[in-house]
Amino acid sequence: MKSMGKFKDIALLSLSLSLTTLISMNVVLPSHIADLGGDIALIGLVYSLRSVVRSIARLLSGLGSNFFGKKYLILVGLLVRALAFFTIFSATNILMVAIGMTIIACSEGLIEPVFLSSAADIFADTSMAATAFGIAFTIRRSPTVIAPTLTGYIADQMGAQNVFLIATLFAVIGFIISLKIEIKNVNANTGKISFRQVGGIVNKPFLMLLVASIFLFTAVSSMSPILSYWVVDELNYSYTILGMILTTGAFIGIFSRVYIGYLSDRIGHVNTLMLVGLVRLVSTLLLIFARDPVSIAFTRFLWSAVMAAPPRNALIASLCKRDSYALAYSIVGIAIDIGRILGPGIVGYIISLYGFNWGFITISMSLTAFILTLLILRRSLIGYVKD
């Protein structure tokens, strides 16, 4: 019953964080930057800058969650997010947009390690850890089913800039809901910043997971802004069409977080991550031949039919000590952000020189490296026992 009460808190926290996902920023932001005078290379650079700040915030959150308290970091993160959306709404130049995105990254970095470590405290020692992570993420990401279409419709009817004003309102509502949530620290180091947590995450499988995460998110981070720019500015489809394309992926993504988590608990977390890489590799290569909305939507369906988060987060919990969870998730998050720093800038630059097809090929190469790294990780798990 005690665990059920904790799960309800995680579910409510997931719900409060889900409100801002009603707005899909990637639908409008790349073209909004272009409207202010930016090109595809600059869009990639702005997204990369966002990842640098997110990494710093993740580390501070991972080291400081015991000192400040997890709930405090959640509340600060949501207030910072509201400020970020309002900054982008008020922006009249690319610099202000970049500042707004930087503030959003700070919010994400503060919240994510706290959310994941709180979930791991409850799920890690169960036989259905990946499934449970999948359920929590499904609650948190459920609005993404309608977010792309809703965002595209709002942008077409009210203008892209007003999308960010509505997002500001959702962030404030999420903050109010989070005031009523009880999120406690469960280890003995509450009130302290302990660097001894580092010892709980130093092992070869964990280090290989960091490398794999960099390769995966080099691909993931470049796909989102580039696909949106490609559909709206290169293929000349409307925001609404783009929203409908992205909704296809968002819809299957809601279900995939649960069934991929269930599959991961059955066939192994590393094997499931390799499946994610293989399916997304096929999805990316198909974009080279896709030009109509139906074909593009099919590639998004494939991409989102396999989600990496449930098996990855369950794998982290299985590799690391409980009192190191917050730091472990923040370190993996930093590896993810390194990929996010590299991806948009590199792929955006390649596209500016050689065209979109070469961009898709570059993303495919990163996914191939992700799969190969997981093969090494799987071998390193032979005989591995967590202390």
Side-chain angles (χ1 to χ4, degrees):
M1 294 297 292
K2 188 175 181 181
S3 296
M4 181 59 69
K6 291 181 179 179
F7 181 79
K8 288 181 180 178
D9 285 330
I10 291 295
L12 187 58
L13 176 59
S14 299
L15 179 62
S16 69
L17 296 176
S18 75
L19 289 175
T20 53
T21 63
L22 278 166
I23 297 298
S24 181
M25 191 168 62
N26 287 328
V27 171
V28 295
L29 193 53
S31 293
H32 183 50
I33 294 173
D35 289 342
L36 293 173
D39 59 13
I40 186 65
L42 183 59
I43 290 170
L45 182 62
V46 170
Y47 270 76
S48 294
L49 173 65
R50 174 185 175 185
S51 298
V52 174
V53 176
R54 188 194 292 112
S55 292
I56 297 171
R58 284 188 198 275
L59 184 59
L60 293 175
S61 178
L63 289 172
S65 62
N66 293 328
F67 181 82
F68 295 107
K70 293 181 177 180
K71 182 174 179 177
Y72 177 82
L73 290 176
I74 290 287
L75 294 176
V76 171
L78 284 169
L79 280 180
V80 168
R81 186 168 298 182
L83 174 64
F85 285 133
F86 189 77
T87 299
I88 298 176
F89 164 72
S90 306
T92 56
N93 54 61
I94 295 174
L95 177 61
M96 289 301 295
V97 173
I99 291 172
M101 290 184 67
T102 300
I103 301 173
I104 288 176
C106 182
S107 167
E108 292 168 342
L110 289 174
I111 290 173
E112 199 68 14
V114 174
F115 173 77
L116 292 174
S117 63
S118 298
D121 287 335
I122 301 170
F123 305 145
D125 296 330
T126 70
S127 62
M128 301 288 285
T131 305
F133 271 111
I135 293 171
F137 272 99
T138 295
I139 296 171
R140 182 173 175 180
R141 301 294 295 174
S142 56
T144 60
V145 173
I146 63 171
T149 300
L150 176 63
T151 304
Y153 179 79
I154 293 172
D156 284 336
Q157 298 300 316
M158 301 174 59
Q161 203 161 356
N162 286 315
V163 166
F164 301 103
L165 180 61
I166 295 173
T168 303
L169 175 63
F170 287 150
V172 172
I173 295 173
F175 171 82
I176 294 171
I177 293 175
S178 295
L179 289 171
K180 301 181 179 296
I181 300 173
E182 189 68 28
I183 300 293
K184 294 182 178 180
N185 293 32
V186 299
N187 63 58
N189 293 318
T190 301
K192 303 176 182 178
I193 297 179
S194 175
F195 289 91
R196 290 186 300 176
Q197 300 172 66
V198 176
I201 63 175
V202 178
N203 56 72
K204 183 177 179 180
F206 185 78
L207 295 177
M208 294 309 302
L209 178 60
L210 296 182
V211 176
S213 298
I214 291 172
F215 284 127
L216 176 61
F217 278 86
T218 296
V220 170
S221 64
S222 53
M223 179 64 78
S224 295
I226 287 167
L227 183 73
S228 297
Y229 184 91
W230 180 57
V231 170
V232 174
D233 292 85
E234 182 75 11
L235 301 182
N236 295 316
Y237 291 113
S238 68
Y239 283 120
T240 301
I241 292 295
L242 172 62
M244 293 174 67
I245 289 171
L246 297 180
T247 295
T248 304
F251 179 78
I252 188 62
I254 290 297
F255 299 100
S256 73
R257 289 182 176 88
V258 177
Y259 67 68
I260 286 296
Y262 180 82
L263 180 66
S264 184
D265 288 324
R266 295 296 180 273
I267 70 172
H269 307 318
V270 178
N271 291 335
T272 306
L273 285 171
M274 291 174 64
L275 176 64
V276 171
L278 180 60
V279 173
R280 291 190 171 183
L281 174 61
V282 172
S283 168
T284 304
L285 290 174
L286 288 175
L287 279 172
I288 296 174
F289 309 100
R291 289 298 180 271
D292 62 277
V294 174
S295 299
I296 299 170
F298 176 71
T299 68
R300 298 312 299 162
F301 181 90
L302 280 181
W303 180 280
S304 301
V306 285
M307 289 291 180
R312 181 180 64 249
N313 291 319
L315 179 61
I316 294 167
S318 72
L319 294 175
C320 302
K321 297 177 181 179
R322 181 177 292 273
D323 62 358
S324 300
Y325 282 164
L327 182 60
Y329 285 111
S330 68
I331 294 297
V332 172
I334 290 171
I336 288 171
D337 282 333
I338 291 173
R340 284 174 167 155
I341 293 166
L342 296 173
I346 293 174
V347 177
Y349 179 72
I350 289 173
I351 290 174
S352 69
L353 294 178
Y354 305 111
F356 281 93
N357 282 352
W358 277 104
F360 297 139
I361 291 171
T362 304
I363 293 171
S364 299
M365 292 171 62
S366 185
L367 290 168
T368 301
F370 168 67
I371 297 170
L372 294 176
T373 306
L374 288 173
L375 284 171
I376 301 172
L377 168 57
R378 188 170 64 178
R379 288 183 61 86
S380 72
L381 286 173
I382 299 175
Y384 173 79
V385 178
K386 180 171 68 172
D387 293 335

